[in-house]
Amino acid sequence: MQTKLTQEEEQIVDYIENGNAKSIENVKEEITRFTQMAKEQTSKKKAISIRLSESDLYLLKKKALAAGISYQNIIQSLIHQYTHDKIKASL
């Protein structure tokens, strides 16, 4: 099965395959540095307070229990998907 690449991904592949990409001297240190930056970014969390209707919270907890995950993780996932344009909200 052929993977469909985005336009940006295709540009990256072309850049590399055309020999334009050059390695840097301290690759291992840079990999370590960027790995640490990514870990720090994904581990930063901010507590918020939100008011939900009791019925919505009940249904959310019921679905979370059935899925075997916490309702907070469902909320976090929905917000992440929405902010990264993976899902749309009908407001």
Side-chain angles (χ1 to χ4, degrees):
M1 185 171 113
Q2 185 77 15
T3 302
K4 177 81 172 130
L5 300 178
T6 65
Q7 183 179 1
E8 181 182 15
E9 291 168 333
E10 288 177 3
Q11 289 172 347
I12 292 169
V13 169
D14 289 342
Y15 183 79
I16 292 169
E17 288 179 348
N18 291 332
N20 296 324
K22 304 288 185 240
S23 185
I24 57 174
E25 294 178 16
N26 56 343
V27 172
K28 289 183 182 180
E29 291 86 3
E30 287 297 289
I31 290 172
T32 302
R33 185 171 73 93
F34 281 105
T35 300
Q36 184 61 35
M37 287 170 51
K39 285 180 184 176
E40 289 172 3
Q41 189 63 31
T42 57
S43 66
K44 290 182 181 179
K45 307 258 182 197
K46 176 84 173 161
I48 64 166
S49 177
I50 185 171
R51 295 189 185 278
L52 302 173
S53 72
E54 286 185 22
S55 61
D56 285 344
L57 184 58
Y58 171 78
L59 292 171
L60 180 61
K61 286 182 175 183
K62 185 177 172 183
K63 287 186 173 198
L65 184 62
I69 57 176
S70 73
Y71 73 94
Q72 294 98 329
N73 282 352
I74 292 176
I75 294 170
Q76 182 179 356
S77 176
L78 288 169
I79 292 171
H80 179 80
Q81 290 177 52
Y82 176 75
T83 58
H84 288 82
D85 296 322
K86 297 188 189 263
I87 61 172
K88 302 290 181 202
S90 57
L91 305 172

